[in-house]
Amino acid sequence: GIIQRIQKLEKEHALAIEDYEYLIENRTPETDDWIRHKAVQITRSIYGRDIYVRGLIEFTNICRNNCYYCGIRKDNPHVRRYRLSQEEILSSCKTGHALGFRTFVLQGGEDAYFTDDRLCAIVSEIHERYPDCAITLSVGERSAESYRRLYEAGAERYLLRHETADADHYRLLHPSTMSFAHRMDCIRTLRDIGYAVGIGMMIGAPYQTARHLAEDLKFIETFQPEMCGIGPFIPHGQTPLKDFPAGSVDLTCYLLALIRLICPDVLLPATTALGTMDPKGREKGVLSGANVVMPNLSPTEVRKDYQLYDNKICTGEESAQCRGCLERRMLSIGYQVVTDRGDKKNI
Ligand code: 5AD
Ligand code: FES
């Protein structure tokens, strides 16, 4: 049953795909509670009640890709496209540093304007001005040479969700211009270069089965990422997948807990998508084993234009408001947001 499998997972940090599938298909409210409790205990034994924050700067919504689920896909004509200048990005970092952020996440679409020269210049400048901060990039698929240059410029971490560990499922979510093999190559290249790598997937993505999620867990188990971003799929009304239902908060929290059991020291964000699906979503995420939150640090003027999915929260708030809001939310459940780079602890 569930109990035997969880006990095995706790001891060995690994299971057969069939066992992961069983854990996903045979949940009950009671086993959910029990597994979440275990995940929270493990998190506390490594990270205490500290919650790491990352300042998320959404610096361009221009994208060459056409992922079927994503609101800023190239073929969505309703998006007001923008890109921040180097000065605007640096100004967001300045605000963020004053607010206590010691990690900046530069996230954007795959925008050809940001050549290696331009992006490296931005990364080096942030690195020089804020030597006490970690720089995380989340700018999609690039060449190995590009990843190497950005790393040398001072980027230490890279988020590139695998989206799904199943090649057939990948094809249902992406046009044929994108390839599962290439994405996996990028992820491996990032690891080889020396980045701390974040992977992840949407929960309740269209066409996703328990088997697919089990494959995702197996991939997480074997790849051993430093970070793992998971959040519910939320349909965007101007995309081909607009009529699919959103993923569930409970299932997302359950997977957060399982991932914590698989990788005890992994950095696990309670995502904005989770907070969008449930006003207490991020708190629920932390109470399922998450230990990171990523408040928005983008200039307020552009926030409404970075809508990967509908009803995204925090698009009207100032950065300081988001920081304060999350601090209070975490305090309300007995956790504190810390001023720290928030590197992964190795156990
Ligand atoms: N719902 C939830 N998450 C989404 N993402 C993109 N579109 C959506 C959506 N409609 C996630 C993808 C991507 C990350 C930046 O945002 O997993 O990797
Ligand atoms: Fe942005 Fe709460 S985190 S308003």
Side-chain angles (χ1 to χ4, degrees):
I2 292 250
I3 301 203
Q4 289 70 30
R5 287 177 174 83
I6 288 295
Q7 283 167 344
K8 178 164 194 231
L9 183 57
E10 239 188 322
K11 264 196 232 92
E12 299 173 14
H13 308 292
L15 286 178
I17 293 203
E18 292 69 30
D19 291 321
Y20 286 130
E21 198 177 353
Y22 183 97
L23 286 175
I24 292 158
E25 283 185 321
N26 295 279
R27 299 161 48 206
T28 69
E30 291 71 34
T31 56
D32 269 27
D33 278 349
W34 181 65
I35 293 164
R36 273 203 300 269
H37 179 75
K38 282 190 179 296
V40 166
Q41 279 185 324
I42 294 167
T43 315
R44 283 201 196 139
S45 73
I46 302 169
Y47 293 100
R49 287 171 171 272
D50 287 354
I51 297 295
Y52 296 146
V53 276
R54 322 297 194 195
L56 182 64
I57 305 171
E58 298 153 335
F59 70 99
T60 174
N61 70 354
I62 297 169
C63 192
R64 68 163 67 93
N65 288 330
N66 251 323
C67 306
Y68 298 140
Y69 45 82
C70 181
I72 65 168
R73 62 201 302 275
K74 178 175 68 183
D75 287 349
N76 183 358
H78 306 291
V79 181
R80 188 176 68 166
R81 303 287 170 174
Y82 73 88
R83 62 170 70 96
L84 300 184
S85 64
Q86 171 161 334
E87 291 65 40
E88 290 171 309
I89 295 170
L90 287 165
S91 148
S92 297
C93 292
K94 185 173 183 184
T95 306
H97 196 264
L99 289 170
F101 292 111
R102 295 297 177 267
T103 293
F104 301 120
V105 181
L106 300 188
Q107 183 174 93
E110 294 190 13
D111 178 355
Y113 172 84
F114 289 100
T115 57
D116 294 344
D117 285 346
R118 289 196 176 108
L119 206 47
C120 284
I122 294 167
V123 168
S124 333
E125 193 60 34
I126 299 174
H127 190 53
E128 204 165 296
R129 288 198 198 179
Y130 305 103
D132 56 341
C133 293
I135 302 169
T136 306
L137 292 176
S138 176
V139 290
E141 298 179 20
R142 299 176 74 98
S143 68
E145 173 64 12
S146 172
Y147 287 150
R148 210 166 289 119
R149 286 189 56 193
L150 291 162
Y151 185 78
E152 279 158 18
E156 296 174 61
R157 308 181 183 147
Y158 204 103
L159 307 179
L160 185 66
R161 289 190 178 180
H162 65 290
E163 308 298 355
T164 171
D166 185 282
D168 295 321
H169 186 217
Y170 189 92
R171 273 191 289 276
L172 296 172
L173 299 175
H174 303 92
S176 57
T177 47
M178 296 178 71
S179 108
F180 175 73
H182 188 255
R183 198 156 189 92
M184 287 297 180
D185 278 347
C186 286
I187 290 171
R188 272 183 281 271
T189 300
L190 290 163
R191 157 71 48 88
D192 291 343
I193 291 169
Y195 283 98
V197 178
I199 57 171
M201 66 284 182
M202 296 179 288
I203 309 304
Y207 312 108
Q208 186 180 62
T209 62
R211 180 74 183 189
H212 293 146
L213 283 171
E215 291 175 61
D216 288 323
L217 293 178
K218 182 49 93 177
F219 176 57
I220 292 164
E221 174 204 300
T222 51
F223 184 73
Q224 291 286 316
E226 282 73 24
M227 301 154 304
C228 187
I230 69 164
F233 162 73
I234 305 174
H236 185 295
Q238 295 157 348
T239 63
L241 299 176
K242 64 180 164 52
D243 294 324
F244 284 81
S248 110
V249 169
D250 284 347
L251 181 57
T252 302
C253 289
Y254 184 71
L255 282 149
L256 283 169
L258 289 182
I259 293 167
R260 178 62 68 201
L261 299 189
I262 297 169
C263 306
D265 55 8
V266 73
L267 295 161
L268 211 49
T271 54
T272 305
L274 195 54
T276 296
M277 282 302 293
D278 180 333
K280 287 268 170 333
R282 287 167 296 180
E283 291 88 330
K284 289 180 183 175
V286 168
L287 295 173
S288 305
N291 68 325
V292 173
V293 287
M294 301 174 67
N296 202 311
L297 193 50
S298 310
T300 314
E301 307 86 74
V302 302
R303 288 189 186 191
K304 284 188 185 60
D305 302 320
Y306 201 87
Q307 298 260 22
L308 308 184
Y309 45 81
D310 286 337
N311 306 314
K312 187 174 163 221
I313 53 170
C314 301
T315 56
E317 276 74 14
E318 295 288 342
S319 299
Q321 287 178 287
C322 282
R323 166 75 198 218
C325 169
L326 275 169
E327 203 157 301
R328 280 190 302 280
R329 285 174 180 275
M330 294 302 118
L331 282 173
S332 79
I333 53 169
Y335 287 76
Q336 69 253 347
V337 166
V338 293
T339 297
D340 192 293
R341 284 169 44 104
D343 287 304
K344 185 170 90 85
K345 293 196 174 160
N346 288 304
I347 56 157

